[in-house]
Amino acid sequence: MATLTTETLIKTQVIQKAWEDPEFRARLLADPKSALRDAFGIELPDHIRLTAVEESANDFYLVIPPNPSDIIPKAERITIEPAAMWGTGG
């Protein structure tokens, strides 16, 4: 069984609340830091920017994370072959 990270658990809780509570979803989209603070007690530092967007049937968002070379030492990096990741390999 896979272990979920704290970040994944929080994201799951926020998404579930947004699906179930239209008022929270509207607040999350308008002012995500305040919405998280009020609903979950999560206080993000001032230097952190947080943007919430809502996908639809026709709108999708691809998030490009920070470059690993900026945050992970080279000796600790792993390589993932795209074919293995997407199941397209032989």
Side-chain angles (χ1 to χ4, degrees):
M1 182 173 171
T3 302
L4 298 177
T5 64
T6 301
E7 180 182 350
T8 301
L9 289 171
I10 291 169
K11 285 181 181 180
T12 301
Q13 291 175 342
V14 170
I15 291 167
Q16 183 174 353
K17 183 164 180 66
W19 285 340
E20 296 171 351
D21 182 346
E23 183 180 316
F24 172 73
R25 181 175 57 246
R27 289 179 44 230
L28 184 64
L29 292 168
D31 186 356
K33 288 175 81 169
S34 293
L36 292 180
R37 183 188 63 238
D38 296 345
F40 295 96
I42 297 171
E43 191 73 45
L44 296 174
D46 290 339
H47 72 278
I48 299 293
R49 282 189 310 182
L50 178 62
T51 303
V53 295
E54 186 173 19
E55 289 185 347
S56 71
N58 296 316
D59 297 310
F60 296 91
Y61 299 91
L62 174 62
V63 177
I64 301 171
N67 187 327
S69 64
D70 294 340
I71 57 176
I72 301 173
K74 189 171 186 170
E76 296 177 23
R77 293 183 211 158
I78 60 171
T79 301
I80 299 173
E81 294 296 326
M85 185 174 143
W86 294 102
T88 58

